[in-house]
Amino acid sequence: MDKKGVVETLQKMSGLVGLVDRETTLIAYYEGSIEPPIMSTEIIWRDISEVKQGINACLVGNIDYQEHVASSFSPKQVVYAGEIQTGFVVWEAANKPLSRLKKELSLFPQEMKEGLLNYYREQVTLELKPAQQAALKRDSHALVGNFFKIVSYWNHLLFTLNDRYLLDQLGAVKQIGSFSLKPVYYLVRVEQAYQYFASHNTKLGFEEYNAIQEEINHLLKENS
């Protein structure tokens, strides 16, 4: 069954209030209890009440940073907001619940932005010490893992600075290349740093790290 057929089938389900298309994935929003059918298309199921609570938390900056979505390191509430804001509503109930939420998110919430920037700035700082310890022990595996976390936090800072939602780390570094606020040659330099760390050339790796971090600090100072 193609995506159009899946949408036509799902919208007949009792309790379903809307469907959002995010390229390869459909997000189905429901209220009450529902038994998801087995479909050929990948479908994410969201309780609309939980989504509304999450979006309201984003609007006032009251975000729970402890509950992350694994694919992005993003707080679940921010993911809920991003899925609504960036997705295409292909169907919704007559009272337009998804369109109303999308309208609330037409501007990137300022309180959420400030909270995300402060949180991910701190995470970068916290991750630096174990990275340095891994380098001293010449543990490339641990060091590359630490650097992956640091780059993920950098990605969050840059997405947030540009009023974007980061919903997946896959392709994020490349996507940042199209942003107006970003370090020069970000993708190339991040990949170069990975190569340095993986080949035990930690001196050059940390030189690249420090240079990128300095540019990001400047962007944060000038734009937040």
Side-chain angles (χ1 to χ4, degrees):
M1 186 183 298
D2 61 13
K3 189 177 288 186
K4 182 179 179 182
V6 171
V7 170
E8 291 174 349
T9 299
L10 289 177
Q11 68 187 52
K12 298 173 185 176
M13 290 181 60
S14 175
L16 200 74
V17 299
L19 292 165
V20 163
D21 187 0
R22 294 204 70 252
E23 297 179 356
T24 60
T25 307
L26 277 175
I27 304 175
Y29 297 86
Y30 64 91
E31 57 184 1
S33 60
I34 195 169
E35 187 172 341
I38 298 174
M39 309 290 288
S40 58
T41 301
E42 183 181 356
I43 301 170
I44 297 173
W45 296 86
R46 300 283 193 225
D47 184 328
I48 191 67
S49 297
E50 186 177 338
V51 170
K52 287 179 179 177
Q53 290 174 5
I55 289 175
N56 287 336
C58 288
L59 291 171
V60 298
N62 186 24
I63 297 169
D64 180 2
Y65 293 98
Q66 301 308 310
E67 195 168 5
H68 290 84
V69 174
S71 62
S72 62
F73 295 131
S74 295
K76 184 183 286 188
Q77 297 156 317
V78 177
V79 169
Y80 289 163
E83 288 172 343
I84 291 284
Q85 202 275 336
T86 63
F88 177 71
V89 178
V90 292
W91 176 84
E92 62 184 325
N95 61 342
K96 304 287 185 183
L98 303 186
S99 293
R100 293 206 308 271
L101 291 173
K102 205 174 184 72
K103 186 175 181 180
E104 289 183 40
L105 295 165
S106 58
L107 296 177
F108 202 81
Q110 187 60 33
E111 290 81 1
M112 180 183 76
K113 182 174 185 174
E114 292 173 2
L116 289 172
L117 291 176
N118 289 334
Y119 175 75
Y120 288 109
R121 226 176 337 215
E122 181 181 7
Q123 293 307 300
V124 170
T125 302
L126 291 174
E127 199 61 41
L128 178 58
K129 185 174 181 179
Q132 292 170 330
Q133 291 173 337
L136 289 173
K137 295 178 180 179
R138 295 183 62 79
D139 188 338
S140 295
H141 175 72
L143 179 54
V144 170
N146 293 131
F147 188 62
F148 168 76
K149 289 183 181 180
I150 289 171
V151 173
S152 298
Y153 300 145
W154 280 346
N155 292 345
H156 272 288
L157 289 170
L158 295 168
F159 267 73
T160 303
L161 269 180
N162 287 274
D163 293 345
R164 306 285 189 95
Y165 292 90
L166 202 170
L167 302 180
D168 197 332
Q169 289 289 343
L170 184 63
V173 174
K174 185 176 181 180
Q175 190 177 345
I176 287 168
S178 65
F179 293 175
S180 58
L181 300 175
K182 62 181 183 297
V184 177
Y185 302 119
Y186 182 62
L187 171 61
V188 174
R189 294 164 69 193
V190 164
E191 290 182 342
Q192 183 64 73
Y194 271 120
Q195 291 177 16
Y196 286 145
F197 287 133
S199 61
H200 301 288
N201 199 337
T202 55
K203 182 177 183 295
L204 290 178
F206 277 110
E207 284 180 2
E208 195 65 80
Y209 161 85
N210 289 329
I212 296 172
Q213 184 63 63
E214 185 176 338
E215 287 187 46
I216 291 176
N217 287 342
H218 178 74
L219 288 169
L220 289 168
K221 182 178 180 180
E222 295 296 317
N223 298 280
S224 64

